[in-house]
Amino acid sequence: MKIKELQNGQKFEGPLLVGRFVRGVTQSGAPYLSITFQDNSGEIEGKVWDLKPEIEAMVQVGLILEVRGDVNQYRQTLQMRVHTLEFKDQSQYALDDYVSASTYDLSFLKTEIETFVSAIEDPIIKELVVANLEAVGDQFYQYPAATRNHHDFVGGLATHVYGMAKAANAICDLYPLYNRDLLIAGVILHDMGKIEEYTAPMLSEYSVAGRLLGHISIMHANFTAIAERIGHADKEQTLILRHMILSHHGQMEYGSPVMPMIKEAEMLNIIDNLDARTNMFEKFYDDLPEGEFSPRMFALDNRNFYKAKGIK
C-alpha cells in the first residue's frame, strides 16, 4: 500500500524509506524518534515512542526499513505510531519505488530549457546563461528545487525552471513592458546555487556550504566569477542579473540581501512564488476529498485550504 492511500485508523505493514529523522525527549524524559517515511507517492511522519537503543542505531537516512504501525490523524494530518522497525537486505528494494521524481522526462526538460536559452537575443545575456549552465552540467536537471514544500524531488529544479519559463514567456507576451531576455535569464539562473546548497539529487539535505552561505550567496558568487572569466564583469547586463539573483526572494526577511529594484526582478519574485505555490497545491489537492480542508501548509503561513465541492 502506498502512503497516499493510507487512511485514519488503518494498520500498516510494509517497507518505507527513511527520508529524515529527529531525536526528541518527552516531558517525562523518555527518548523518542520522529521519522519522515516516504515512498514515491508521498510522505508520512512516524513516531517511535518506546525507543530502544538498537532501534535508534538502526535508523539512518536513505535506508528502507520494514515498518509496522497504526495510522492516525493528528491536527488534520496523518501520522503513524510505529510499533516495530526491521532492517532487511537493501538489494531487494527498487529505489524508484521510494523516491519521487519529476513527471517530466529529464531529456524533455533539457530540450525545453535549451530552447528558451536559444531564444535569448541579447548576446551578452545568452553567453552568461550558457556559461553558467555549462558550469553545472547535468546536475541542473537532476537536483531538487527544495528539500521539502515544493519541487522536492529528483529533477525538481529543472521542473521549477521550466514552469517559471513558460509563465515568464506568457507574461512577456501579455505585457511587453518586461524584457524577455532578462526575465528568462533570471528564471534559469535564480536557483542554480541550490546544486551546492544541497547534498545530492536524492534524499537531499543541506550541505555545510548551504547552511553557512545559502543558495543566493552561492549563486551570486559563482555567477560573478563566471562573468569575470568570460570578460563580462563590467557589463550592465551582468549587474542587472546579479541584482535579480540577489533579490529573487523578494524581501530581506525571506533571505534576499536586497529587495527588487528592477521591474524584471519584481516579476521574477512573483513568478517564483506562483510556480512554487502551484506545486504545493498540486501535492495537497490531488488526493484531498471535495468539501474538506487540507492539512496545514507551513510554507503558506500554516493555513488550511478548502477544496470546493463540484468545482474543477
Side-chain angles (χ1 to χ4, degrees):
M1 177 176 289
K2 293 292 186 180
I3 286 175
K4 74 173 185 178
E5 299 169 339
L6 295 176
Q7 297 180 9
N8 184 28
Q10 284 185 326
K11 294 185 180 298
F12 177 85
E13 187 169 352
L16 293 173
L17 184 144
V18 178
R20 52 189 179 272
F21 66 91
V22 177
R23 296 178 177 86
V25 179
T26 66
Q27 291 182 343
S28 62
Y32 71 90
L33 279 182
S34 180
I35 307 172
T36 300
F37 293 112
Q38 69 179 65
D39 60 23
N40 59 11
S41 74
E43 297 181 345
I44 188 169
E45 184 181 14
K47 298 287 190 182
V48 183
W49 294 111
D50 186 18
L51 183 61
K52 295 179 172 59
E54 60 270 24
I55 297 297
E56 184 174 8
M58 179 196 307
V59 176
Q60 298 180 39
V61 172
L63 286 183
I64 297 169
L65 300 176
E66 295 291 332
V67 183
R68 186 174 64 84
D70 296 325
V71 179
N72 52 71
Q73 190 161 327
Y74 176 72
R75 293 182 178 175
Q76 296 184 294
T77 302
L78 291 180
Q79 288 187 346
M80 186 184 301
R81 185 183 183 95
V82 177
H83 298 308
T84 64
L85 292 172
E86 184 180 358
F87 175 83
K88 291 188 176 181
D89 179 11
Q90 298 292 286
S91 65
Q92 68 179 291
Y93 306 112
L95 189 59
D96 288 349
D97 292 334
Y98 303 93
V99 178
S100 299
S102 175
T103 55
Y104 298 111
D105 184 80
L106 299 191
S107 62
F108 168 83
L109 289 170
K110 188 171 185 178
T111 298
E112 291 296 308
I113 291 172
E114 287 177 348
T115 299
F116 281 113
V117 175
S118 67
I120 296 174
E121 296 179 354
D122 185 298
I124 293 175
I125 293 177
K126 179 180 285 190
E127 191 173 350
L128 286 164
V129 171
V130 170
N132 279 273
L133 281 170
E134 288 177 347
V136 295
D138 286 341
Q139 293 179 108
F140 185 79
Y141 302 95
Q142 298 165 352
Y143 267 69
T147 58
R148 55 188 63 88
N149 294 326
H150 79 91
H151 298 95
D152 50 344
F153 47 80
V154 176
L157 174 58
T159 302
H160 182 41
V161 165
Y162 173 55
M164 287 180 64
K166 289 195 297 180
N169 227 18
I171 286 168
C172 289
D173 286 340
L174 186 60
Y175 302 110
L177 170 72
Y178 297 105
N179 182 285
R180 193 185 305 267
D181 287 352
L182 280 177
L183 197 52
I184 292 297
V187 164
I188 294 169
L189 296 168
H190 80 290
D191 270 351
M192 203 175 281
K194 289 186 174 182
I195 294 168
E196 292 183 40
E197 184 177 37
Y198 303 144
T199 54
M202 295 185 295
L203 305 176
S204 188
E205 299 178 333
Y206 283 93
S207 65
V208 174
R211 290 181 180 275
L212 294 178
L213 304 176
H215 71 277
I216 291 177
S217 297
I218 290 170
M219 186 54 201
H220 180 258
N222 291 348
F223 177 82
T224 303
I226 288 172
E228 184 172 354
R229 176 173 58 80
I230 63 177
H232 293 326
D234 61 346
K235 299 295 194 300
E236 180 82 356
Q237 293 94 326
T238 299
L239 179 62
I240 299 304
L241 289 172
R242 287 173 62 192
H243 172 73
M244 293 178 72
I245 291 166
L246 290 173
S247 66
H248 79 263
H249 277 190
Q251 298 181 48
M252 293 180 183
E253 55 263 42
Y254 295 158
S256 278
V258 292
M259 293 179 66
M261 289 182 281
I262 296 165
K263 62 185 187 302
E264 288 80 14
E266 178 74 10
M267 190 51 55
L268 176 62
N269 171 249
I270 291 170
I271 296 171
D272 191 13
N273 283 324
L274 170 67
D275 192 68
R277 280 163 167 72
T278 298
N279 182 253
M280 286 187 276
F281 288 138
E282 286 173 345
K283 290 199 298 185
F284 280 99
Y285 272 69
D286 186 34
D287 300 312
L288 184 67
E290 292 183 355
E292 293 192 12
F293 282 89
S294 72
R296 291 189 180 276
M297 298 170 72
F298 175 77
L300 294 175
D301 305 314
N302 215 26
R303 287 174 285 167
N304 305 104
F305 284 82
Y306 179 73
K307 187 171 183 178
K309 298 178 183 178
I311 300 175
K312 301 297 184 181

